[in-house]
Amino acid sequence: MTYVGRYTAPAANEPGRQVDAEVFRIVIAHPVAPGAEIEEILWLDPSTPGAVKLAPLTRDNLLPLCS
Protein backbone atom coordinates (compact mmCIF):
# COMPACT_ATOMS: atom_id res chain seq x y z
CA MET A 1 0.00 0.00 0.00
CA THR A 2 1.34 3.40 -1.00
CA TYR A 3 0.12 6.68 0.44
CA VAL A 4 -1.08 9.03 -2.34
CA GLY A 5 -2.28 12.04 -0.38
CA ARG A 6 -5.07 13.82 1.44
CA TYR A 7 -7.89 15.37 -0.59
CA THR A 8 -10.94 17.46 0.26
CA ALA A 9 -13.94 18.01 -2.00
CA PRO A 10 -17.65 18.83 -1.80
CA ALA A 11 -19.75 15.82 -0.77
CA ALA A 12 -21.65 14.29 -3.70
CA ASN A 13 -25.10 14.02 -2.11
CA GLU A 14 -24.95 16.34 0.90
CA PRO A 15 -25.06 20.03 -0.03
CA GLY A 16 -22.83 22.18 2.15
CA ARG A 17 -20.74 19.22 3.35
CA GLN A 18 -17.13 18.30 2.56
CA VAL A 19 -15.46 14.91 2.14
CA ASP A 20 -11.95 14.58 3.54
CA ALA A 21 -10.11 11.50 2.22
CA GLU A 22 -6.76 9.89 2.88
CA VAL A 23 -6.00 8.09 -0.39
CA PHE A 24 -3.83 5.00 -0.79
CA ARG A 25 -2.87 2.94 -3.86
CA ILE A 26 -2.85 -0.84 -3.74
CA VAL A 27 -2.19 -3.54 -6.30
CA ILE A 28 -4.24 -6.72 -6.00
CA ALA A 29 -4.28 -9.98 -7.92
CA HIS A 30 -7.86 -10.98 -7.07
CA PRO A 31 -11.12 -10.01 -8.80
CA VAL A 32 -13.04 -7.08 -7.32
CA ALA A 33 -16.74 -7.55 -6.49
CA PRO A 34 -19.33 -5.31 -4.81
CA GLY A 35 -20.32 -6.14 -1.23
CA ALA A 36 -21.77 -4.63 1.95
CA GLU A 37 -22.68 -0.99 1.23
CA ILE A 38 -21.00 -1.08 -2.20
CA GLU A 39 -23.83 -1.74 -4.65
CA GLU A 40 -22.00 -1.52 -7.97
CA ILE A 41 -18.50 -1.43 -9.41
CA LEU A 42 -17.77 0.26 -12.71
CA TRP A 43 -14.45 0.19 -14.55
CA LEU A 44 -13.79 3.21 -16.74
CA ASP A 45 -10.99 4.82 -18.68
CA PRO A 46 -9.82 7.73 -16.49
CA SER A 47 -9.00 9.85 -19.53
CA THR A 48 -12.50 9.42 -21.01
CA PRO A 49 -15.04 8.69 -18.24
CA GLY A 50 -17.94 9.45 -20.58
CA ALA A 51 -21.35 10.35 -19.17
CA VAL A 52 -20.83 8.62 -15.82
CA LYS A 53 -21.81 10.96 -12.98
CA LEU A 54 -18.86 10.93 -10.58
CA ALA A 55 -18.48 12.41 -7.11
CA PRO A 56 -16.38 15.61 -7.08
CA LEU A 57 -13.56 13.91 -5.14
CA THR A 58 -13.25 11.20 -7.79
CA ARG A 59 -13.76 13.49 -10.79
CA ASP A 60 -11.54 16.39 -9.71
CA ASN A 61 -8.84 14.74 -7.58
CA LEU A 62 -8.54 11.01 -8.19
CA LEU A 63 -9.05 10.56 -11.95
CA PRO A 64 -6.34 13.14 -12.76
CA LEU A 65 -3.88 10.97 -10.79
CA CYS A 66 -4.44 8.14 -13.28
CA SER A 67 -3.68 10.15 -16.41
Side-chain angles (χ1 to χ4, degrees):
M1 183 166 46
T2 305
Y3 182 71
V4 174
R6 183 177 185 170
Y7 299 90
T8 302
N13 298 311
E14 297 182 41
R17 300 284 188 171
Q18 292 283 104
V19 173
D20 190 25
E22 298 281 346
V23 178
F24 295 83
R25 180 181 182 274
I26 63 168
V27 176
I28 59 172
H30 303 287
V32 177
E37 73 276 4
I38 307 300
E39 183 177 309
E40 178 182 27
I41 294 174
L42 173 70
W43 297 105
L44 56 85
D45 180 341
S47 62
T48 56
V52 178
K53 185 178 179 185
L54 300 170
L57 179 75
T58 300
R59 182 190 66 229
D60 301 336
N61 300 106
L62 302 183
L63 284 187
L65 296 173
C66 300
S67 299

